[in-house]
């Protein structure tokens, strides 16, 4: 399955995967408004062997088949002070 990846020029580190190149009609209008302009960045073959940096390729394929798009949000930043550093006496 081919996927076409676009980055939002309004929302940092937010990407949209589309099943068909430039088929923005698959995106709900409220989502299109929030994302603003989208810039094409990558065409990728989503095979069973494909690994993606921040997404599960199987989930992306399922969303593309069901909805025609997949939305990738920025990674969450966790509070480093919540970890147990093992320094307590």
């Amino acid at each position: 399955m081919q996927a076409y990846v676009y980055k939002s020029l309004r929302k940092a580190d937010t990407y949209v995967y589309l099943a068909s190149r430039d088929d923005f009609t698959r995106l709900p209008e409220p989502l299109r408004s929030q994302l603003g302009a989208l810039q094409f960045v990558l065409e990728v073959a989503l095979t069973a062997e494909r690994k993606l940096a921040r997404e599960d390729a199987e989930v992306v394929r399922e969303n593309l088949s069901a909805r025609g798009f997949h939305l990738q949000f920025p990674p969450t930043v966790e509070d480093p002070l919540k970890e147990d550093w093992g320094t307590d006496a």
Side-chain angles (χ1 to χ4, degrees):
M1 167 182 274
Q2 288 297 110
Y4 304 90
V5 186
Y6 300 80
K7 72 175 180 177
S8 169
L9 298 180
R10 182 179 293 162
K11 301 276 188 183
D13 293 325
T14 302
Y15 294 86
V16 175
Y17 293 71
L18 294 178
S20 300
R21 186 166 181 154
D22 298 334
D23 186 9
F24 303 113
T25 60
R26 302 297 293 230
L27 300 173
E29 182 55 41
L31 178 59
R32 281 193 281 178
S33 298
Q34 288 181 357
L35 295 174
L38 296 171
Q39 180 180 14
F40 178 78
V41 292
L42 177 69
E43 177 180 349
V44 62
L46 293 176
T47 62
E49 302 82 29
R50 171 67 73 181
K51 302 287 185 209
L52 298 173
R54 293 187 182 163
E55 295 293 310
D56 180 339
E58 179 61 29
V59 172
V60 175
R61 283 195 303 273
E62 288 173 10
N63 286 335
L64 290 176
S65 293
R67 296 185 203 125
F69 74 94
H70 173 82
L71 189 58
Q72 177 180 310
F73 293 104
T76 57
V77 178
E78 293 189 25
D79 184 353
L81 298 178
K82 287 184 177 180
E83 285 187 40
D84 181 8
W85 293 80
T87 56
D88 293 328

